[in-house]
Amino acid sequence: MIDKIFLNMTRTSALLILFIVAWIFVVLFNHSIEAMQTFGFDFITKDEWAPNLEKFGAYAAIFGSVASTFLAMLLAIPVAIGVAIFLSEIAHDKIKGFFGVSVELLAAIPSVIYGMWGLFFFVPILRDIFGGMGIGLLAAGIVLAIMILPFMAAVTRDAMNTTPDILKESAYALGGTQWDVIKDIIIPYAKAGIIGSLILALGRAIGETMAVTFVMGNVHHTPKTILDPTTSIPVTLANEFTEADSSLYFSSLFGLALTLLVMSFVVIAIAKFYFLRKVRKGQ
Amino acid sequence: MTATQKRIIINRIALGFSTLSAIIALAFLFWILGVLVMKGVDSLSWSIFMFEGSPPGYAESGLKHALVGQLILVGLATLIGVPLGIMAGTYLSEYGKNSKLAHTIRDISDIMMSAPSIVIGAFVYAVVVMPMGHFSAWAGAIALAIIMIPIILRTTDDMLQLVPGTLREAAFALGAPKYKVIMDVVYRGAKAGILTGVLLGIARVGGETAPLLFTSFNDNFFTTDLNEAMPSLTVTMFNYAISPYDDWQQLGWAAAFILSMFILGLNIVGRLILLAGKRK
């Protein structure tokens, strides 16, 4: 009797996850129908966002999300791989433990703090170097890169650590240098895991709100240069959600949220199911 | 130059680059930590804990409202999220095992772990705030709980699977019903792991700002009414930081410092518990 109740309680909790996820999609979809009906495909291809005229085109926000994430990945990937190699192959055991833990702890620092640092300490430097406001796509890309770096380095290191020692030792026995072992043994062996980890980090970066809200500018224009202020989907949501005053405005914001959710779901699913599953099967 | 010499030189260059990137990365991260600590310690004072928010320029302003609000929000989220997460994880590990349903739930929950938190905020706005007609602490706590459940589920599932099957069989052989085996044997064996998962889950949602922006919203005054907008450290930090007032910005840094110490502390305690459990 109690056995049955216990089973049912745990099963209901587990099914609740599926239910919530489905519910999120349904709710976001329902609320964005009005915008979709009004604008159709123009919603994602036009960049005119004028609440006073009831015109909502999300292209600038979508472009800003993609561009800032791309920029962040461009900057973070080489450094993260370098850090991962350092942590898994180069560093002395004692340093490894200390740096390894500090990298993981840094990944836990709230992203809003990266945003504050960006606004008060990094944007002025950019302003001095490039002129202009300092706030914009470049600042967002760099702050995002720094924010995602600890997570990316930690998961990439974990992927590299799956390489069996025996493979590495055989390569050393043949006279390989450390770099030979890294380039010809570890990276080929852990390739799927490394790519999966990098994409997973990308999935996190694309939905990141607080690190970029401070430094992006929230201007609905597709930027002409990397220094121009622009916006992204999460930045628009964070700035405008509580200000929306018409149902079409709301509906457009829900449309943005749905777009973002679909984008990140696809990215994360590719990382998990295509690359990281390969790793699990390989083991 | 022989081929060997060439390889050795390339090796040095490559390792040098890797070490350099590690140094660059750590320099940036320690810069941020340094700023956080300097600014935070600078702005800390007893008045922060004694006074609630006030208009800029007032000496008697503090973060009492945000600290208490943060504790209430995270506490409520924990009360909702932890039992659900642990029960769901229990189902996956003890009943679902390798069934298709269990794998589907694991996969979806894993994806949810990295889903954009601001979208969760928008969802909760639609299903809680809109029907209620106003922002509330409940809405904020529900948003945080939704983010927390996948984390707890995952660690519970993993930790319960580490408990040896022979222990379960021994308990079954004594005639214990399944729920008793799970409660008294499996949970006991995985206690440290589950606790770590809970602490890490709390640490994760404690630093979330985006899902609170339009669920619990913010308030500059002390409140314990769960049906009203509730201030939180993160949203207060955000609002104060983008304000043009020096004293508000100072309070923002103090909030950032307190919150980071709290989250780092939870992370460290979680790791220590796991380490102590492993040593046994």
Side-chain angles (χ1 to χ4, degrees), chain B residues 43 48 53 61-63 237 240 246-256:
Chain B
S43 341
I48 282 176
S61 66
L63 293 165
M237 195 192 305
Y240 280 10
D246 275 348
D247 54 336
W248 273 21
Q249 288 177 7
Q250 283 255 317
L251 281 176
W253 283 110

Side-chain angles (χ1 to χ4, degrees), chain A residues 84-104:
Chain A
I85 291 176
F86 179 81
L87 285 177
S88 69
E89 299 304 315
I90 302 176
H92 192 270
D93 268 353
K94 275 182 194 157
I95 305 177
K96 205 187 276 183
F98 172 72
F99 276 176
V101 173
S102 19
V103 165
E104 281 170 31

Side-chain angles (χ1 to χ4, degrees), chain A residues 2-3 6-7 10 13 17 21 31 82 90 104 108 113 120-121 149 175 178-180 214 241 250 264 273 277, chain B residues 7 11 14-15 18 21 25 29 35 87 95 107 112 116 125 130 149 178-179 209 214 238 241 260 267 271:
Chain A
I2 305 179
D3 233 16
F6 190 79
L7 167 64
T10 58
S13 315
I17 308 283
V21 174
H31 282 274
I90 302 176
E104 281 170 31
I113 288 165
F120 289 113
F121 290 88
L149 191 62
Q178 258 183 314
W179 174 243
D180 289 335
F214 288 96
F241 209 90
F250 252 125
S264 69
F273 299 145
R277 180 143 301 169
Chain B
R7 282 201 308 150
N11 179 49
L15 295 192
S18 157
S21 58
L29 296 168
V35 163
M87 282 199 292
Y95 296 99
D107 288 339
M112 277 303 288
Y125 182 89
M130 283 213 290
I149 291 172
K178 188 151 188 170
Y179 82 95
T209 316
F214 25 85
F238 175 58
S260 303
N267 268 286
R271 271 156 218 277

Side-chain angles (χ1 to χ4, degrees), chain B residues 112-135:
Chain B
M112 277 303 288
M113 223 184 316
S114 296
S117 54
I118 193 153
V119 172
I120 311 280
F123 163 72
V124 173
Y125 182 89
V127 298
V128 181
V129 177
M130 283 213 290
M132 276 177 92
H134 52 82
F135 301 111

